[in-house]
Amino acid sequence: MPTVDVDFDELRELTGHEEKSDDELEWDLFNLGVEYEGETEDGKAKLEFESDRLDRLSVEGLARSLRYQYGDARGVSVPRTNDPEWVIEVDESVPEERPYVTGAIVRGLSMDEGKLESLIQLQEKLHRTMGRKRAKGAIGVHDLTMLKGRAAVTATEGANGAESDPRAGAASAPPKTITYRGIAPDGDRFVPLDDDADRTPGEVIEEHPTGRTYGPLLADYEAYPAIYDDIGLFSFPPVINGRRTEVDEGTRDVFIELTGTDQWTIDKMCTIICYALAARGGRVESVRVEYPDGELVRPDLAVEHKRVTHERVEHLLGVGFEREEVVDLLERSGLAADVEESADGVVYDVSVPPYRTDVLHPVDVVDDVGRAYGFNDLDPRYPDVGTIGGRTAGTRLEDAARDVLVGLGFEDMLNFHLANEAACFDRMRLDPEGGAYGAAPPATIGEPYSEDFTVVRTWALPSLMMVLENNTHRAYPQDLAEIGLSARVDEREETKVHERRTVAAVLARTDAGYEAAKARLQALAAAFDCELETPATDHPSFIPGRTAAVVLDGESVGVVGEVHPAVLVEHDLEVPVAAFEFDLRTLE
């Protein structure tokens, strides 16, 4: 889980509660779900919290949450912004792998060492969490006074040649433009942070320490992302900023830019930073983002809404509330609510502030009510059911079967239930349209994240064969077993997918044979008082004449035999393998 280093003196100052002791702050933070994990070398508190509350990645965010908890702040607060004075123009040359950009301006910061350290920490924590180590989103913070936007010429300007003060308001200054575009690896030079030499983007990746760290993110890019002002290149996302616009302790006005692969992600990261800087007295100003096919005004400070019934709040928390009390608890959570009457009873239309990335469902609203009320103040009670918790009959059967398999010398495996069609069928010499055990139309994943995991496996034996394939460097014998899920498409099922639990085992050893596999299968069946029969059968994955069907209590439910040499070669195995697989339910 994320951790953040916080100076308790700074936290007291930002909350306005100088009287709080360290122990009291630790307890108050614990009630927010933030745990104290000790001190850093420089005496700061190391705090750990759930990864859903990314708005607490800074001391400013934690102070805001505490002020709500103390009742010093209530409801939804949204910074006021002006009409955009700066424009981010997105050129068509921007790499298609990283097409999105957002930004904001914050003025009047009076930056000092503590504020700068907090900003840098927030930036890096957001990179590691929402930004997925800069792969999904990367942040650049720049000294605004060191930027020169490309300004449109007004009629007044053309008459007298005067240039507007870059710190003037939007009403008196024309828009200033910077450009997000693509650049060749050997393109324009700039001086990166922590460096003194002019370098091309390619040289930064090869020679600069930060470039070597984050350069692999751009390994497949034909053109690199770059941000220009009227002077030249000043940001090379997601790798490094230029030294010209470096923020230091004397900086008052900053320009924030973020690029990434998802607009929502970088917008939320930008909003979190803007709220943190606003807590330091900064004034947030808008930026217009001009894409080739449209434009956006950022930061995105839109308030979202969730609806939840009074009955649901009481049901989930097990507490009776007056409606005024629920509204009070919501406001102390940094939310706001309008009370409505409907056919479902009392309904709360809840306003969610833009920095909250975790409120995705009405249940999240109820969770906030519970935290504001105090989970420690909830009275524990037994649920109104006639039973107590325990393992299901299916789980007990699996555990019993595993115990027997381990007693027979098998090592228990836990493999992924997802595989791909080649592993389930092609590499096992199995036709998915055939009638053999394991042959069935697979349930496919609509949007797989990897070519290795595109279907739910139709049988478990391919998974065990891949384990053997990955362990040819280990000593033999290797006797492996797994009890796990498999599935196939079945239009008769309500979900259109039939799921089952199967028992699969392999014996990889120099003396592996049909008799060895059947002996262990016979012992397993006997342990559950099942009658086993093994009539001869054919199966493409097994050697003809050395294969039998598994018939338990008169029902054909599996296969046992010696694995076909072609399957062994496909998995780079040099020892014979005997195996069996059958449906677990027949052991009941």
Side-chain angles (χ1 to χ4, degrees), residues 495-506:
T495 62
K496 308 303 181 184
V497 175
H498 173 74
E499 299 180 5
R500 61 179 178 174
R501 311 288 291 186
T502 65
V503 181
V506 292

Side-chain angles (χ1 to χ4, degrees), residues 467-476 478 572-573:
V467 173
L468 292 176
E469 180 182 18
N470 293 328
N471 285 276
T472 54
H473 59 293
R474 302 290 185 181
Y476 291 98
Q478 295 181 26
D572 296 326
L573 299 176

Side-chain angles (χ1 to χ4, degrees), residues 63-78 275 323-337 351 353 355-356 372-373:
R64 179 175 55 245
S65 293
L66 285 173
R67 284 178 56 79
Y68 279 121
Q69 184 184 40
Y70 297 151
D72 298 333
R74 304 180 71 84
V76 174
S77 174
V78 179
Y275 266 86
R323 65 179 69 180
E324 294 80 8
E325 188 177 6
V326 173
V327 172
D328 175 71
L329 293 171
L330 288 169
E331 290 181 349
R332 287 178 52 204
S333 302
L335 310 175
S351 301
Y355 59 81
R356 290 290 296 272
Y373 180 81

Side-chain angles (χ1 to χ4, degrees), residues 127 139 225 259 261 288 350 488 503 514 564:
H127 277 157
I139 306 162
T259 64
T261 61
R288 187 166 70 247
V350 181
R488 68 175 187 270
V503 181
Y514 170 81
H564 198 285

Side-chain angles (χ1 to χ4, degrees), residues 245-532:
T245 60
E246 182 177 6
V247 174
D248 57 29
E249 294 180 22
T251 300
R252 290 184 55 82
D253 305 333
V254 297
F255 173 76
I256 306 163
E257 47 84 5
L258 298 91
T259 64
T261 61
D262 177 70
Q263 187 74 53
W264 183 91
T265 298
I266 59 175
D267 281 342
K268 288 299 183 182
M269 292 168 69
C270 183
T271 299
I272 291 171
I273 293 174
C274 287
Y275 266 86
L277 294 179
R280 295 290 194 172
R283 302 187 310 276
V284 180
E285 297 185 3
S286 297
V287 168
R288 187 166 70 247
V289 181
E290 294 183 350
Y291 287 103
D293 57 352
E295 65 178 46
L296 303 170
V297 175
R298 292 296 184 260
D300 184 3
L301 300 178
V303 175
E304 296 185 358
H305 292 265
K306 302 294 179 185
R307 295 175 64 84
V308 62
T309 64
H310 185 85
E311 184 276 333
R312 191 171 195 181
V313 173
E314 292 186 329
H315 174 74
L316 291 178
L317 295 178
V319 178
F321 292 108
E322 297 293 332
R323 65 179 69 180
E324 294 80 8
E325 188 177 6
V326 173
V327 172
D328 175 71
L329 293 171
L330 288 169
E331 290 181 349
R332 287 178 52 204
S333 302
L335 310 175
D338 292 325
V339 183
E340 302 175 5
E341 297 281 356
S342 74
D344 297 325
V346 175
V347 178
Y348 302 99
D349 182 12
V350 181
S351 301
V352 182
Y355 59 81
R356 290 290 296 272
T357 62
D358 60 308
V359 183
L360 306 176
H361 188 277
V363 169
D364 298 316
V365 174
V366 179
D367 179 72
D368 271 16
V369 173
R371 290 186 182 278
Y373 180 81
F375 285 135
N376 291 330
D377 295 329
L378 296 177
D379 294 325
R381 58 182 176 84
Y382 286 105
D384 188 18
V385 295
T387 61
I388 59 174
R391 292 178 297 171
T392 64
T395 301
R396 292 195 296 270
L397 178 63
E398 285 189 27
D399 289 346
R402 285 193 178 94
D403 287 343
V404 175
L405 289 167
V406 171
L408 292 171
F410 289 102
E411 184 173 353
D412 187 38
M413 295 284 106
L414 180 62
N415 288 309
F416 292 125
H417 298 155
L418 298 183
N420 57 68
E421 293 193 45
C424 291
F425 306 121
D426 298 346
R427 304 187 71 199
M428 298 299 293
R429 302 181 69 248
L430 188 61
D431 180 3
E433 302 298 328
Y437 188 86
T444 60
I445 308 302
E447 296 183 6
Y449 76 88
S450 168
E451 293 180 355
D452 295 329
F453 305 107
T454 59
V455 302
V456 182
R457 64 186 183 183
T458 56
W459 58 324
L461 184 55
S463 298
L464 293 178
M465 294 300 297
M466 286 190 288
V467 173
L468 292 176
E469 180 182 18
N470 293 328
N471 285 276
T472 54
H473 59 293
R474 302 290 185 181
Y476 291 98
Q478 295 181 26
D479 298 345
L480 313 176
E482 178 183 4
I483 300 176
L485 175 76
S486 60
R488 68 175 187 270
V489 173
D490 188 342
E491 295 295 331
R492 297 169 296 179
E493 297 283 346
E494 181 179 359
T495 62
K496 308 303 181 184
V497 175
H498 173 74
E499 299 180 5
R500 61 179 178 174
R501 311 288 291 186
T502 65
V503 181
V506 292
L507 296 95
R509 49 173 68 209
T510 55
D511 59 347
Y514 170 81
E515 293 79 6
K518 180 182 176 181
R520 288 163 174 78
L521 179 61
Q522 183 74 59
L524 178 60
F528 289 87
D529 295 325
C530 293
E531 182 180 348
L532 174 67

